[in-house]
Amino acid sequence: MLLNINHVTEYSYETPVQFSLQRLRLTPVDSAGQTIRDWAVTIEGAKNEVAYTDQYENHVRLVSVEGEHPSVRLIASGTVETRDTDGIFGPASPDIPLWLFLRQTPLTTADKPIEKLVEKLEGDSDLAKLHNLMERLHKTMTFKPGTTSVATTAGEALEAKSGVCQDYAHIVIASARKMKVPARYVSGYLYMPDLENQTASHAWAECYLEGLGWVGFDAANKVCPDERYVRVASGLDYRDAAPVSGMTIGGGRESLAVKLSVASQSQSQSQS
């Protein structure tokens, strides 16, 4: 599938910013399920500082703002060819030890709600238990934007029985690590035929299973990622893979606007 993606993020400030440094993880790379046909990140109102590959093999760009800038506009766009691999991302990187992905973080702590959930999981293998986990979350939780924030933990979202894709991913990660299965957070894009214009990017979890390698689990949609998914960045949790993160000094009240479209090129051509 050929997917055309246009992701615009715009920060506006009440007063000019004194200084801002933002870390961008907006560039997908080739992998088992995707080939990047073309991709560009355009920055308006900020200055490129440096680009590098981080410890999770994400492409990262640092940009700074200094001076009389009332807004910053970030545009990531391009075309990605995707393939269905039944959710299997593949072998672990030889440069990143698997034990790293057993570490709990503040957002993925296996607290009491997570422990109780893991104790109830059914299946004769880790793969079966993780599929059972997706089934249980699909039945008990409601996808509801606005009920959680980027600071909400896996246990808090589970107790609230609501959240967004980020929360579902954190619950899967916390549960898998409790099972001694390495797990990581993945940010990216999801093509939804009935919703070309979206308000946010997507996120899911990947778990490392012997014999299969890294396998994706999108509990928010109860599926393993297929050709509708574009993978951009990964890490221990949201904080390692967020599309944009950083710090700002001055500027007063900050407002954020996101415009995202993910369209199938074949569909676009057939409709033109």
Side-chain angles (χ1 to χ4, degrees), residues 184-216:
R184 62 189 180 189
Y185 184 98
V186 181
S187 64
Y189 301 109
L190 171 59
Y191 168 58
M192 294 182 279
D194 298 329
L195 189 64
E196 179 177 326
N197 295 308
Q198 305 173 23
T199 56
S201 55
H202 197 54
W204 58 96
E206 285 180 348
C207 302
Y208 187 84
L209 299 169
E210 291 296 335
L212 292 175
W214 288 107
V215 180

Coordinates of all heavy atoms in Angstrom, one line a residue, residues 184-216:
R184 N 8.2 -2.5 24.1 CA 8.6 -1.1 23.8 C 7.4 -0.4 23.2 O 6.4 -1.0 22.7 CB 9.8 -1.1 22.9 CG 9.6 -1.7 21.5 CD 10.9 -1.8 20.7 NE 10.7 -2.4 19.4 CZ 11.7 -2.7 18.6 NH1 13.0 -2.5 19.0 NH2 11.5 -3.2 17.4
Y185 N 7.5 0.9 23.3 CA 6.4 1.8 22.8 C 6.8 2.3 21.4 O 7.9 2.5 21.1 CB 6.4 3.1 23.7 CG 5.3 4.1 23.4 CD1 4.1 4.1 24.1 CD2 5.5 5.1 22.4 CE1 3.1 5.0 23.9 CE2 4.5 6.0 22.2 CZ 3.3 6.0 23.0 OH 2.4 7.0 22.7
V186 N 5.8 2.3 20.5 CA 6.0 2.7 19.1 C 5.1 3.8 18.7 O 3.9 3.8 19.0 CB 5.8 1.5 18.1 CG1 6.1 2.0 16.7 CG2 6.7 0.4 18.5
S187 N 5.6 4.9 18.1 CA 4.8 6.0 17.6 C 4.8 5.9 16.1 O 5.8 5.5 15.5 CB 5.3 7.3 18.1 OG 6.5 7.6 17.6
G188 N 3.7 6.3 15.5 CA 3.6 6.3 14.0 C 2.3 6.8 13.5 O 1.6 7.6 14.1
Y189 N 1.9 6.3 12.4 CA 0.7 6.7 11.7 C -0.2 5.5 11.4 O 0.3 4.4 11.1 CB 1.0 7.5 10.4 CG 1.9 8.7 10.6 CD1 3.2 8.7 10.2 CD2 1.4 9.8 11.3 CE1 4.0 9.8 10.5 CE2 2.2 10.9 11.5 CZ 3.5 10.9 11.1 OH 4.3 12.0 11.3
L190 N -1.5 5.7 11.3 CA -2.4 4.7 10.9 C -3.4 5.2 9.9 O -4.0 6.2 10.0 CB -3.2 4.3 12.2 CG -4.4 3.3 11.9 CD1 -4.0 2.0 11.3 CD2 -5.2 3.0 13.3
Y191 N -3.4 4.5 8.8 CA -4.4 4.8 7.7 C -5.7 4.3 8.1 O -5.9 3.1 8.3 CB -3.9 4.2 6.4 CG -4.9 4.2 5.3 CD1 -5.5 5.4 4.9 CD2 -5.4 3.0 4.7 CE1 -6.5 5.4 3.9 CE2 -6.3 3.0 3.7 CZ -6.9 4.3 3.3 OH -7.8 4.3 2.3
M192 N -6.7 5.2 8.2 CA -8.1 4.8 8.5 C -8.9 5.3 7.3 O -9.1 6.5 7.1 CB -8.6 5.5 9.8 CG -7.8 4.9 11.0 SD -8.4 5.6 12.6 CE -7.5 7.1 12.6
P193 N -9.4 4.4 6.5 CA -10.2 4.8 5.2 C -11.3 5.8 5.5 O -11.6 6.6 4.6 CB -10.7 3.5 4.7 CG -9.8 2.4 5.3 CD -9.4 2.9 6.6
D194 N -11.9 5.7 6.6 CA -13.1 6.6 6.9 C -12.7 7.9 7.6 O -13.6 8.6 8.0 CB -14.1 5.8 7.7 CG -14.7 4.6 7.0 OD1 -14.7 4.6 5.7 OD2 -15.0 3.6 7.7
L195 N -11.4 8.0 7.9 CA -11.0 9.2 8.6 C -9.6 9.7 8.1 O -8.6 9.5 8.7 CB -10.9 8.9 10.1 CG -10.7 10.1 11.1 CD1 -11.8 11.0 11.0 CD2 -10.4 9.5 12.5
E196 N -9.6 10.3 6.9 CA -8.4 10.7 6.3 C -7.7 11.8 7.2 O -6.5 11.9 7.4 CB -8.6 11.2 4.9 CG -7.4 11.7 4.2 CD -7.6 12.1 2.8 OE1 -8.4 11.5 2.1 OE2 -7.0 13.1 2.3
N197 N -8.5 12.8 7.6 CA -8.0 13.9 8.4 C -8.1 13.6 9.9 O -9.2 13.4 10.4 CB -8.8 15.2 8.1 CG -8.5 15.6 6.7 OD1 -7.4 15.8 6.2 ND2 -9.6 15.9 5.9
Q198 N -7.0 13.5 10.6 CA -6.9 13.1 12.0 C -6.4 14.2 12.9 O -5.8 15.1 12.4 CB -6.0 11.8 12.1 CG -6.5 10.7 11.2 CD -5.5 9.5 11.2 OE1 -4.7 9.3 12.1 NE2 -5.5 8.7 10.1
T199 N -6.6 14.0 14.2 CA -6.2 15.1 15.1 C -4.9 14.7 15.9 O -4.4 15.5 16.6 CB -7.3 15.4 16.1 OG1 -7.6 14.1 16.8 CG2 -8.5 15.9 15.4
A200 N -4.4 13.5 15.7 CA -3.2 13.0 16.4 C -2.6 11.8 15.7 O -3.3 11.1 14.9 CB -3.6 12.7 17.8
S201 N -1.3 11.6 15.9 CA -0.7 10.4 15.3 C -1.1 9.2 16.2 O -1.8 9.3 17.2 CB 0.8 10.6 15.3 OG 1.3 11.0 16.5
H202 N -0.5 8.1 15.9 CA -1.0 6.8 16.5 C 0.2 6.2 17.3 O 1.3 6.7 17.2 CB -1.4 5.8 15.5 CG -2.3 4.7 16.0 ND1 -3.4 4.9 16.8 CD2 -2.1 3.4 16.0 CE1 -3.9 3.8 17.2 NE2 -3.2 2.8 16.7
A203 N -0.2 5.3 18.2 CA 0.9 4.6 19.0 C 0.4 3.2 19.3 O -0.8 2.9 19.4 CB 1.1 5.3 20.3
W204 N 1.3 2.3 19.5 CA 1.0 0.9 19.8 C 2.3 0.3 20.5 O 3.2 1.0 20.8 CB 0.6 0.1 18.6 CG 1.7 0.0 17.5 CD1 2.6 -1.0 17.3 CD2 1.8 0.9 16.4 NE1 3.3 -0.7 16.2 CE2 2.9 0.4 15.6 CE3 1.3 2.2 16.1 CZ2 3.4 1.1 14.5 CZ3 1.7 2.8 15.0 CH2 2.8 2.3 14.2
A205 N 2.2 -0.9 20.9 CA 3.3 -1.6 21.6 C 3.9 -2.7 20.7 O 3.2 -3.3 19.9 CB 2.8 -2.2 22.9
E206 N 5.1 -3.0 21.0 CA 5.8 -4.2 20.4 C 6.4 -5.0 21.5 O 7.0 -4.4 22.5 CB 6.9 -3.7 19.4 CG 6.4 -3.2 18.1 CD 7.5 -2.8 17.1 OE1 8.6 -2.7 17.6 OE2 7.2 -2.6 16.0
C207 N 6.2 -6.3 21.4 CA 6.7 -7.2 22.4 C 7.7 -8.2 21.8 O 7.4 -8.7 20.6 CB 5.6 -8.0 23.1 SG 4.4 -6.9 23.9
Y208 N 8.7 -8.6 22.5 CA 9.7 -9.5 21.9 C 9.4 -10.9 22.3 O 9.4 -11.3 23.5 CB 11.1 -9.2 22.3 CG 12.2 -10.0 21.6 CD1 12.6 -9.6 20.3 CD2 12.6 -11.2 22.1 CE1 13.5 -10.4 19.6 CE2 13.5 -12.0 21.4 CZ 14.0 -11.6 20.1 OH 14.9 -12.3 19.4
L209 N 9.1 -11.8 21.3 CA 8.7 -13.2 21.5 C 9.7 -14.1 20.9 O 10.0 -13.9 19.7 CB 7.3 -13.4 21.0 CG 6.2 -12.6 21.6 CD1 4.9 -12.7 20.8 CD2 6.0 -13.0 23.1
E210 N 10.2 -15.0 21.6 CA 11.2 -16.0 21.1 C 10.7 -16.7 19.9 O 9.5 -17.1 19.9 CB 11.6 -17.0 22.1 CG 12.4 -16.4 23.3 CD 13.8 -15.9 22.9 OE1 14.3 -16.3 21.8 OE2 14.3 -15.0 23.6
G211 N 11.4 -16.7 18.8 CA 11.0 -17.4 17.6 C 10.3 -16.5 16.6 O 10.2 -16.8 15.4
L212 N 9.9 -15.3 17.1 CA 9.2 -14.4 16.2 C 9.9 -13.1 16.1 O 9.9 -12.4 15.1 CB 7.8 -14.1 16.6 CG 6.8 -15.3 16.5 CD1 5.4 -14.9 17.1 CD2 6.6 -15.7 15.1
G213 N 10.6 -12.7 17.2 CA 11.2 -11.3 17.3 C 10.2 -10.3 17.8 O 9.3 -10.7 18.5
W214 N 10.4 -9.1 17.4 CA 9.4 -8.0 17.8 C 8.1 -8.2 17.1 O 8.1 -8.3 15.9 CB 10.0 -6.6 17.6 CG 11.1 -6.3 18.5 CD1 12.5 -6.2 18.1 CD2 11.0 -5.9 19.9 NE1 13.2 -5.8 19.2 CE2 12.4 -5.6 20.3 CE3 10.0 -5.8 20.8 CZ2 12.7 -5.2 21.6 CZ3 10.3 -5.4 22.1 CH2 11.6 -5.1 22.5
V215 N 7.0 -8.2 17.9 CA 5.7 -8.3 17.3 C 4.8 -7.1 17.8 O 4.8 -6.8 19.0 CB 5.0 -9.6 17.7 CG1 3.6 -9.7 17.1 CG2 5.9 -10.8 17.3
G216 N 4.1 -6.5 16.9 CA 3.3 -5.3 17.3 C 1.9 -5.7 17.8 O 1.3 -6.7 17.4

